[in-house]
Each structure stands twice: as structure tokens, then as C-alpha cells.
Amino acid sequence: MEKVEKGNVSGKVTTHQHSSTRRRKGGLITIPFILANDSFERVASHGLLPNMVFYLTKEYHMSVTQATTTIFLWNAATNFTPLLGALISDSYLGRFLTIGIGSTFSLLGTILMWLTAMIPFLRPLQCNQMTQEICENPTTLQMAILVISMGLVSIGAGGIRPCSLAFGADQLVKRSDSKNKGLLESYFGWYYACTAIAVLLSMTVVVYIQERYGWKVGYAVPAILMFLSVFLFFVASPLYFKQKERTNLLTGFAQVLVAAYKNRKVPFPPKDAYNKYYHKKNSESSVPTENLRFLNKACIITNPEQDLASDGSEPNSWSLCTVERVEELKVIIRVIPIWSTGIMISINVSQGSLQVFQAISMDRHLTPNFEIPAGTFAMFLIISVIAWIVLYDRVIIPLASKIKGEPVRLDVKLRMGIGIFFSCMAMVVAGIVENIRRRKAIMEGHLNNPQAVVQMSALWLIPQFCFHGLAEAFNSIAQSEFFYSEFPKSLSSIAGALSGLGSSVANLLATVILSVVNQSTSKGGKDGWVPDNINKGRYDKYYGLLAIMSFLNLLYFVFCCWAYGPSKDQSSNFGDDDQEEEE
């Protein structure tokens, strides 16, 4: 008996030693490498966007509508792939491998984009303005290489962006004490700060290099940054604490739908019949919620002897699912209407390509020798986001709490609504400014000369970008907080990817809206609202249409909040935090 006890003690020591060995990985030393990987990727990918409309129109001889549509579709792909990346990461590959593969794809994409600028035969011949020859359209091969480079960058973003934040948290989540919580809070702050700074640098420094030194140097910078991103991430591989989720979310949700359909004729048990519903092992017994009640039939135990195995587990997940899995699917379905209200904000923000043409036709000089690059005006959106976050967290909330004598926080849904209102105001201001700019252009005789500079300061564009920034700061951050509080922990990666999915849908819808508006307003040989000649177009009416749609979206949001009802407490979850380290 004594030997057995010693053996047990020895076994415990061995297990503890093994656990300690595993716990040595991770920690603060890995965070700079993860932040550098994510930040360099954002500088590289975002640095390609602001002047892309000029690259496509000048080098590939696309019309403004074609170039804008191409950018819309590229943005849609870039914002959709993070959802796929989150699913693949949590279900199959794990975060480390997903980030590594994504970084490699993004590097290949930026290199291929740089090659289109370096190698002449990869793009159409230059137009001869003197002989007024018709510009050649890009060949199938040239377009294929351009699209492949864009696709590789989108795939890379899908691997990096949904996983970096969680992967960094994995390095710190080793024990649930107060010190660890402080580290996590600091990490999240640094992560979002680095993201904002990276986007700001891409819209200023990278854009300036492109305009000052041309496409060859301007596109070499993103490729070099992505090389550094890949190198820094993989060089720290031995230091990372690598975790791998074991839940196949897509399969699990499909099982709920199939099981609910199979059991559609099964009667509902009494409301307090806890033992009639199947639960995870070691979980508290509960009955499913009454929302989307038809899905509850997926977890009803009709015959314990037939439905359950001898150990209490279900032999067929396609016929019987856990209450927890049913509730996971329910919460996703329930938040979709509120999630959809943020799409209109992203549609408005995605009009940046058109606003670049506004800026190029206005006086952008700050001093006689320096003018703001047209593609850099979007930086005022980022500055507004950063400024509001700092002001809200460090000034407004502390001051309001001090005056009231208790902690004050604006409701999440209220913040989302305020963001939608600011988005509507952004388009109203954009329409007014464009109307004034167009009238000045006509008065100065520039109706047929879209390249002429109107005697109007481009600084008048700043207010609309500031409103866009406030809309993002209120709505996007509040939506993320809402998703994380409503979703179980097992769906945290999906919660993080929903914002990107909304931007993806927004870019697709923006393409449709732009196409429909241009076609419907150009009938009978007329110039549409969004032609190549900005002075002949009616960008102001197009912005006005988006403002009306934004106002209707605000009414739709109010209805969705009423239909959703009260939000769930943030501590409530159905998830399981058990994770294992990858071998």
C-alpha cells in the first residue's frame, strides 16, 4: 500500500513537472513578435488600397466605375476571408498554423503586386496622349495576375486578422489571477493601438512614398514589410504557447438543424423537465431558452435507452445534440438582424475611392510647397477613431462617473445607434460639400476638364471623414462588445470575425448600389451620377441617396433592438474553455 502511495506521489510530481515545462512557453516575450506580425500585415495591405484607384485607372486603363467596383470586390474578399480563417483555425489548424499560412500568402500577394509595377508586360502599354490613341485594355493574363495578387493578399488577411488577437491572449492566459487580468487588459489596449497606428502609417507614409517615388518603390515597401512580418512571426516559433481548438463549429450547427428536422414531430416536454434534454458531461442541467423554440427538438431525449450510450453520451450527433450546441446556434441567428444594421455604415465608409477623386480636384496645399496626398485624407477617419476612444475612456466616462458618484457606461445598443446616426450625418455633409465643389467647378469653367483644380480647399472634406470616424468608434466597437457579451466563449472567434463579414457584405452591396445608380441615371445617352468626369457627374445626389438609406437603416436598427429584447448578462456563457497544446 505504501509503494502504491509513493507511486501516486511520484506520478503527480511527474505530471506537475510536465505541466510546468509546457507552461514555460508563451508569456510577454512573445507579444512583440505577434504585434509586429499583425501590424506589418496591416501596413502592407492597407498601404495598397488608398491609391489603388489611380493604379487601376492609369496603369490598367479602367474607368472610374470599373476601378471602384474592383476595389469594392477586393475589399469584400479581404473582409470575408477572416470568417473562414476563424472557422478553419478553431476547427482544424489551430491559430499558430493559420497565422503562419496567412502570412505566407500575404507575402506572395504583395510580391506579385510589386512585380506588376516592375515588369512592363504584366500591364497594358501606356497611352499616347499626343496621338490620342485609344488605350489598350489589359489582356486576360495581365488581369489574371492582378486578380491573383489581390486574392493572395485577401487570403493572407483571412489567416492573420481573426487569429492574432486570440493567439496573443493565449500567451498570457495561463492562470486566472488579478495579475493575469491586468496583463490581458494591457495587451488588448496595445493591440488596438498598434492596429490603429499601422493603418494610419499606411495611409500617410506608404501613400506618400507611392506618390513621391512611383509604383515601383511604393509597392516594394508593402512587400518588404510582409517579409519582415513573416520572418518575425516564425523566428519566435519555439517561444509560442500553441493551442488548438477541437470543436468543429460548422458540423455542429449542421447537426442541430438535421436533428431538429428529424425530431420535428416529437412533442415538447414540460418546461421544468431538465432530464429530458441532453447536456454536455459535467455541465449544469438546464432547459433550452424559448427563443427559436423549434430548434429545441434537436436536444430532446425521447428514449434514453435508444438515444444514449451506456456511458451517457449520444451515439449519433445527427439525431441528438446538446443544449449548449443548440443555444450556440440560436445566439448566432438572433444577432444577425442587429449585425446587419452595421452594413450600411461600412457601405458609406467604402466610398473612399470616390472621395479620392474629390480631393484630387480640390486645392490640397497646406503650404506653398506641400500638399496632402489625395489618398491620405482617410487618415482623418482613423485619427477621429483614436481621438474619440481616448476622450471617451479617459475623460468623458471618468468625469461622468465622478459627477454621478457611481460608474457610468453608455448602453451598448445606444452606442450602436449613435454610430448609425453619425454615419447618416457623414453622407449629408459629403453631399453638401460636393454640391458646393461642383458648382464652383462649373463657375470656373471646368465642366469638361475633370483634371482641373477647383479654387476650394480640400480641407472641407475633413468633417465627413470625422463623422465616419465617430460612426466607426461608436458602432463598430459597440458591436464587437455586444457580440462578445452575447456569444458563448466557444464562439469568441466567430464574434471577432463578424465585423469583417459585415464589411465584406457592405462592399458587395456597395458595388451593386453603384452599378444600379450609374445605369439607371445614364439612360438616353446622359452622364450618370458617377461618371469618369466628376464635374459632369452628380456625386452629391449619390451621397444624398446613401444618406436617405442610412436614415432608414437607423429606423430599422430601432426595430431590431425592440425585437431582440434585453441583452444577456456578460458573464453568461455556454462554452467550454478546455484547450490543449498542439503537438
Side-chain angles (χ1 to χ4, degrees):
M1 187 70 168
E2 185 177 352
K3 290 181 179 179
V4 173
E5 290 176 354
K6 288 181 178 179
N8 288 339
V9 172
S10 176
K12 291 179 180 179
V13 171
T14 302
T15 302
H16 177 72
Q17 289 174 343
H18 176 65
S19 177
S20 299
T21 301
R22 291 173 60 183
R23 292 300 187 183
R24 290 172 187 168
K25 292 187 177 183
L28 288 173
I29 191 174
T30 62
I31 300 303
F33 296 96
I34 296 172
L35 291 179
N37 169 261
D38 185 84
S39 298
F40 283 144
E41 184 277 328
R42 290 181 185 272
V43 174
S45 59
H46 284 281
L48 295 173
L49 279 173
N51 280 332
M52 180 56 66
V53 66
F54 296 132
Y55 188 63
L56 296 180
T57 54
K58 294 180 179 179
E59 301 296 331
Y60 282 81
H61 311 152
M62 294 185 184
S63 66
V64 174
T65 303
Q66 288 176 325
T68 304
T69 300
T70 301
I71 294 172
F72 279 160
L73 294 175
W74 187 21
N75 277 328
T78 304
N79 288 308
F80 178 74
T81 51
L83 178 62
L84 299 180
L87 292 171
I88 293 172
S89 170
D90 288 351
S91 301
Y92 302 106
L93 299 181
R95 293 179 183 124
F96 171 76
L97 190 56
T98 303
I99 295 174
I101 293 174
S103 300
T104 304
F105 272 107
S106 192
L107 173 61
L108 294 175
T110 53
I111 290 176
L112 192 57
M113 182 70 73
W114 171 61
L115 290 178
T116 64
M118 289 293 297
I119 303 175
F121 76 82
L122 292 182
R123 61 185 189 277
L125 295 175
Q126 291 294 311
C127 302
N128 191 331
Q129 299 295 339
M130 298 297 295
T131 60
Q132 296 183 349
E133 294 180 358
I134 298 175
C135 299
E136 293 184 5
N137 292 324
T139 64
T140 302
L141 176 62
Q142 291 167 345
M143 280 302 301
I145 293 175
L146 177 67
V147 170
I148 290 173
S149 66
M150 291 178 170
L152 290 173
V153 172
S154 296
I155 294 173
I160 298 173
R161 296 181 187 179
C163 300
S164 288
L165 181 62
F167 187 63
D170 291 344
Q171 313 308 309
L172 303 177
V173 180
K174 295 184 179 181
R175 59 187 185 279
S176 56
D177 54 20
S178 58
K179 181 179 179 181
N180 184 59
K181 292 178 181 179
L183 287 175
L184 279 178
E185 184 177 356
S186 177
Y187 164 68
F188 288 139
W190 277 106
Y191 180 86
Y192 286 111
C194 288
T195 297
I197 293 172
V199 175
L200 189 60
L201 288 175
S202 69
M203 292 181 175
T204 52
V205 177
V206 177
V207 170
Y208 176 79
I209 292 174
Q210 290 171 357
E211 293 198 0
R212 180 68 175 82
Y213 299 102
W215 304 118
K216 294 180 180 180
V217 177
Y219 281 173
V221 172
I224 293 172
L225 291 176
M226 272 314 307
F227 174 78
L228 293 175
S229 175
V230 174
F231 174 77
L232 291 173
F233 181 74
F234 281 112
V235 77
S237 177
L239 304 176
Y240 297 135
F241 180 73
K242 303 165 188 175
Q243 294 179 328
K244 183 177 181 180
E245 300 285 355
R246 294 173 292 176
T247 301
N248 192 327
L249 298 176
L250 289 179
T251 301
F253 294 152
Q255 289 170 344
V256 173
L257 296 174
V258 172
Y261 178 77
K262 285 183 177 180
N263 301 332
R264 63 189 182 280
K265 295 182 180 180
V266 175
F268 288 106
K271 292 184 178 180
D272 58 348
Y274 301 100
N275 60 337
K276 291 293 184 179
Y277 295 99
Y278 180 64
H279 299 81
K280 284 183 179 180
K281 286 186 178 180
N282 304 321
S283 64
E284 295 182 3
S285 296
S286 61
V287 295
T289 59
E290 291 297 308
N291 297 311
L292 301 172
R293 193 163 178 254
F294 67 95
L295 292 175
N296 293 350
K297 294 194 174 184
C299 56
I300 296 176
I301 302 174
T302 57
N303 189 334
E305 295 181 358
Q306 295 180 358
D307 295 342
L308 302 178
S310 57
D311 61 351
S313 62
E314 86 287 357
N316 185 3
S317 298
W318 294 94
S319 298
L320 181 64
C321 302
T322 63
V323 172
E324 291 79 9
R325 182 49 51 86
V326 171
E327 293 300 321
E328 287 173 352
L329 179 57
K330 280 184 180 182
V331 72
I332 289 181
I333 296 174
R334 289 190 67 216
V335 301
I336 286 177
I338 291 182
W339 162 80
S340 67
T341 62
I343 293 176
M344 192 64 221
I345 295 179
S346 297
I347 290 176
N348 293 341
V349 172
S350 67
Q351 306 303 318
S353 296
L354 300 181
Q355 292 161 345
V356 167
F357 281 98
Q358 286 180 273
I360 205 73
S361 67
M362 301 171 74
D363 182 11
R364 294 175 283 123
H365 284 89
L366 286 182
T367 66
N369 299 320
F370 177 77
E371 63 178 3
I372 305 174
T376 303
F377 274 84
M379 72 178 181
F380 293 106
L381 187 156
I382 306 299
I383 293 173
S384 298
V385 171
I386 298 173
W388 175 253
I389 291 174
V390 174
L391 186 66
Y392 178 78
D393 284 339
R394 302 299 178 184
V395 179
I396 296 178
I397 292 302
L399 182 61
S401 300
K402 185 176 181 180
I403 294 174
K404 193 173 181 180
E406 60 182 22
V408 174
R409 285 284 169 184
L410 290 179
D411 181 73
V412 176
K413 293 178 182 176
L414 177 60
R415 278 184 280 153
M416 284 191 277
I418 294 174
I420 295 174
F421 172 76
F422 277 130
S423 182
C424 179
M425 291 302 301
M427 300 318 299
V428 170
V429 172
I432 294 173
V433 171
E434 170 56 19
N435 183 270
I436 296 173
R437 188 212 64 79
R438 182 176 179 274
R439 284 193 285 111
K440 280 185 172 291
I442 295 174
M443 289 174 60
E444 295 172 10
H446 302 318
L447 181 62
N448 296 315
N449 185 11
Q451 297 180 351
V453 176
V454 179
Q455 296 303 309
M456 178 179 177
S457 175
L459 297 181
W460 282 104
L461 297 175
I462 294 178
Q464 64 198 55
F465 282 106
C466 290
F467 276 121
H468 281 310
L470 290 174
E472 288 281 324
F474 273 98
N475 188 271
S476 298
I477 296 175
Q479 268 206 355
S480 297
E481 184 179 335
F482 176 74
F483 296 147
Y484 275 108
S485 64
E486 294 296 295
F487 280 24
K489 291 182 179 179
S490 58
L491 300 180
S492 58
S493 59
I494 304 299
L498 277 179
S499 295
L501 178 62
S503 297
S504 175
V505 175
N507 279 281
L508 291 175
L509 290 178
T511 303
V512 174
I513 294 171
L514 179 63
S515 177
V516 171
V517 168
N518 221 28
Q519 290 181 10
S520 61
T521 57
S522 60
K523 293 180 179 179
K526 298 179 181 179
D527 290 317
W529 284 2
V530 193
D532 292 350
N533 187 336
I534 185 175
N535 295 330
K536 284 188 175 182
R538 296 307 305 261
Y539 285 28
D540 53 342
K541 290 185 177 181
Y542 177 63
Y543 292 150
L545 175 63
L546 295 178
I548 294 172
M549 294 173 64
S550 299
F551 177 74
L552 295 177
N553 183 55
L554 179 59
L555 299 180
Y556 170 62
F557 170 77
V558 173
F559 172 78
C560 290
C561 289
W562 170 80
Y564 189 89
S567 302
K568 195 166 38 176
D569 186 84
Q570 292 188 5
S571 63
S572 174
N573 66 77
F574 296 92
D576 186 358
D577 293 332
D578 293 337
Q579 295 176 318
E580 63 178 15
E581 184 176 3
E582 294 177 7
E583 298 298 334

